Amino acid sequence: MSTERTLRYKKNVVLSTVFLSFSALLGYILVPISLKFLGPERYGLWAVLGSVFMWLGLLNMGYGGGLRFHLARSLAKNETVLARQYVSTTYALFGIISILLLAVFFGLNNFINWSVLFNTPAALVHEMNTTVVVMVVFFSINFIISLGRIVLVADQRNSSADFFTMLANALTIAGIAPALYFFPSSLVLYCLLVRGPALLSNIVMSLFIYAGKYRFIRPSFKQISFKLARSYSGVSTKFMYMQVAFILAIVANNILIAHLLGPSQVTVYNIALQYISVGTFLFRMLVAPSGSAMIEAHAVKDKTWIKKTLFFFIKVWIFLIIGLIGMTLVSPWVYPLWIGDSVNIPLRLTFIVMVSEVLINWNSIFSSHVVGTGRLFMVMVLATLRIVIHIPLAIFMVRFCKMGLEGIVISSALCTLFSAVILPVQSRLMINGRAKGIWNT
């Protein structure tokens, strides 16, 4: 079984390397095109808006994480009827949540001052308000349709999901590139050109999944069981809380930067982050497919496979550091070639972002194991500490230490250190069968 799992994992990594490499290339081509179309100020506002909807997307990652956990276990044990019930019930829950979300949004929209929330210039207030409405509609539909990706990931078919991500990026560039020459700068149009292809890609992916190999777990009204939903709502809530806490600490940077330093500084931060992500995405691509494999390995008590996989990740992580240091050193020459001279990215900021990403990737090695076993208590505690400390510390560094943008990123990196120390300890205790109390909860 471990040999089959390893071969499946390696196949996923190879195919994901191809698809995500093209996807990343398209993503980096998109940055200068988007900057040219939107300008630094609109681009910064788009980054902040995207952060808010990333938070909302954590609703998906919560119940979606619960679906992945239980679906992976059901498929590993060949419990196909139960697997279909999990899929059908989750689609029903997501449909209800989407309807409620739209109802609440349109009921409250006229009472929310989006310009204050996003620190929007007066000239862009109406444009920003319209963009928010378009984003909510796309998000609500995509919220349901994107569940197909979780089904693929649960069955360790990450590469298939990555193919459709690549397709969405290709369609986005195909739309935005000509818009540069035929339309004026517009957040609303940009939103349509980015979110539209993503939705179309997810629709095609869902048709591909349920008309083919996964026909046996295709959603069915007859298979909806809200009693079953209650049985996994606990782990789903934990997954959602954990993801909200982790992403909040990272994504909060955009809102903190916008409020404390202005939207244009959000652009500076995001470009540095995207540059460093060229190196880190390859590492994350190695770790991501292991999540469902860890769940399967834990279910069949294959500790040998878990130890070998974790040790392999650590070796790759060391090489990652060397590569990222090299990227940081040459960044002053790469940025002008990539985005021109419209935005200045300091070398010191790139270095700080690099250190933060190295720590995050270290944590991902051990969280793939800990989360895969369903032992989420310690992860939730660490995530809570990160939120509680990061936001006030970032504000302190900007307002009292006068460290500006670098202070916010340093705060984020410092708050990552808790997990960098504790998660490896918990993983080791679990592998050795000595995890007790909060370490095994």
Side-chain angles (χ1 to χ4, degrees):
M1 185 67 176
S2 61
T3 302
E4 180 185 345
R5 186 187 311 113
T6 301
L7 289 174
R8 195 163 57 236
Y9 168 75
K10 289 180 178 179
K11 179 182 178 182
N12 254 303
V13 169
V14 171
L15 291 175
S16 287
T17 299
V18 176
F19 298 145
L20 288 180
S21 294
F22 277 108
S23 185
L25 177 63
L26 292 169
Y28 289 105
I29 292 173
L30 181 62
V31 172
I33 295 175
S34 299
L35 263 174
K36 188 174 180 181
F37 181 67
L38 294 175
E41 198 160 48
R42 280 188 173 90
Y43 188 89
L45 288 171
W46 173 258
V48 178
L49 183 60
S51 299
V52 171
F53 281 89
M54 187 178 292
W55 286 348
L56 288 174
L58 295 172
L59 291 170
N60 180 300
M61 295 174 74
Y63 269 97
L67 171 63
R68 190 194 75 164
F69 181 80
H70 286 286
L71 182 58
R73 289 173 65 92
S74 299
L75 293 175
K77 297 177 180 180
N78 202 30
E79 298 172 339
T80 56
V81 174
L82 183 60
R84 191 177 190 188
Q85 288 178 335
Y86 277 125
V87 172
S88 301
T89 303
T90 306
Y91 269 94
L93 286 172
F94 275 42
I96 293 171
I97 292 172
S98 292
I99 293 171
L100 291 175
L101 176 64
L102 285 171
V104 171
F105 172 76
F106 284 107
L108 298 177
N109 185 42
N110 291 332
F111 303 98
I112 300 175
N113 193 332
W114 298 107
S115 61
V116 172
L117 178 63
F118 298 123
N119 195 19
T120 309
L124 298 177
V125 170
H126 177 72
E127 187 177 335
M128 190 65 175
N129 290 341
T130 305
T131 304
V132 170
V133 173
V134 175
M135 282 282 282
V136 169
V137 173
F138 270 109
F139 173 84
S140 299
I141 300 172
N142 220 7
F143 186 71
I144 306 170
I145 304 299
S146 62
L147 274 174
R149 179 181 180 86
I150 294 173
V151 171
L152 290 172
V153 172
D155 195 35
Q156 301 172 51
R157 297 289 187 271
N158 300 59
S159 58
S160 297
D162 294 333
F163 169 80
F164 289 100
T165 299
M166 179 186 70
L167 176 62
N169 285 349
L171 292 173
T172 297
I173 290 182
I176 294 177
L180 278 171
Y181 304 98
F182 297 104
F183 297 98
S185 179
S186 168
L187 273 171
V188 178
L189 177 58
Y190 186 83
C191 179
L192 291 170
L193 293 173
V194 170
R195 297 305 176 189
L199 176 59
L200 177 61
S201 174
N202 281 329
I203 291 173
V204 174
M205 177 177 63
S206 296
L207 293 173
F208 165 78
I209 291 171
Y210 298 120
K213 180 178 180 179
Y214 297 95
R215 189 183 184 90
F216 70 100
I217 57 171
R218 184 174 58 189
S220 168
F221 285 107
K222 295 180 180 179
Q223 297 296 328
I224 295 173
S225 173
F226 290 110
K227 290 182 180 179
L228 190 66
R230 287 197 294 270
S231 72
Y232 74 89
S233 61
V235 68
S236 296
T237 302
K238 289 179 181 179
F239 269 110
M240 183 169 66
Y241 179 87
M242 179 185 68
Q243 295 291 348
V244 166
F246 273 128
I247 302 297
L248 178 61
I250 300 170
V251 177
N253 288 346
N254 283 331
I255 290 182
L256 285 169
I257 295 167
H259 269 282
L260 299 174
L261 304 171
S264 61
Q265 288 298 298
V266 178
T267 301
V268 174
Y269 167 68
N270 274 271
I271 290 175
L273 183 61
Q274 286 184 278
Y275 173 69
I276 291 299
S277 295
V278 172
T280 61
F281 103 93
L282 291 171
F283 181 78
R284 290 175 183 175
M285 182 182 57
L286 285 173
V287 176
S290 72
S292 297
M294 287 288 183
I295 295 174
E296 180 188 305
H298 178 71
V300 298
K301 305 186 186 306
D302 191 351
K303 291 185 179 181
T304 301
W305 187 88
I306 293 173
K307 286 192 286 188
K308 287 182 178 179
T309 302
L310 291 177
F311 184 64
F312 169 71
F313 287 158
I314 292 171
K315 289 192 292 185
V316 176
W317 179 79
I318 293 172
F319 285 103
L320 170 71
I321 296 175
I322 298 171
L324 290 181
I325 291 174
M327 286 183 62
T328 301
L329 293 175
V330 301
S331 64
W333 293 275
V334 175
Y335 285 132
L337 296 174
W338 180 29
I339 59 172
D341 57 0
S342 58
V343 180
N344 178 47
I345 317 293
L347 175 62
R348 190 162 60 178
L349 174 65
T350 304
F351 176 78
I352 296 169
V353 170
M354 183 270 291
V355 172
S356 179
E357 287 297 295
V358 164
L359 289 172
I360 290 171
N361 280 277
W362 168 260
N363 292 344
S364 70
I365 295 174
F366 302 98
S367 64
S368 68
H369 173 217
V370 174
V371 172
T373 64
R375 306 297 190 266
L376 303 178
F377 177 77
M378 184 60 71
V379 182
M380 291 170 63
V381 171
L382 292 170
T384 302
L385 284 174
R386 190 175 179 186
I387 293 176
V388 171
I389 297 173
H390 172 47
I391 295 177
L393 179 60
I395 294 172
F396 174 80
M397 286 187 164
V398 172
R399 290 185 173 172
F400 297 97
C401 299
K402 307 299 181 183
M403 296 180 68
L405 179 55
E406 294 170 0
I408 295 176
V409 184
I410 289 173
S411 171
S412 180
L414 289 174
C415 294
T416 308
L417 286 173
F418 296 107
S419 299
V421 174
I422 294 176
L423 285 178
V425 173
Q426 183 178 13
S427 179
R428 185 176 181 83
L429 289 173
M430 292 171 61
I431 290 173
N432 293 333
R434 297 185 345 220
K436 297 179 182 179
I438 60 174
W439 301 101
N440 197 40
T441 303

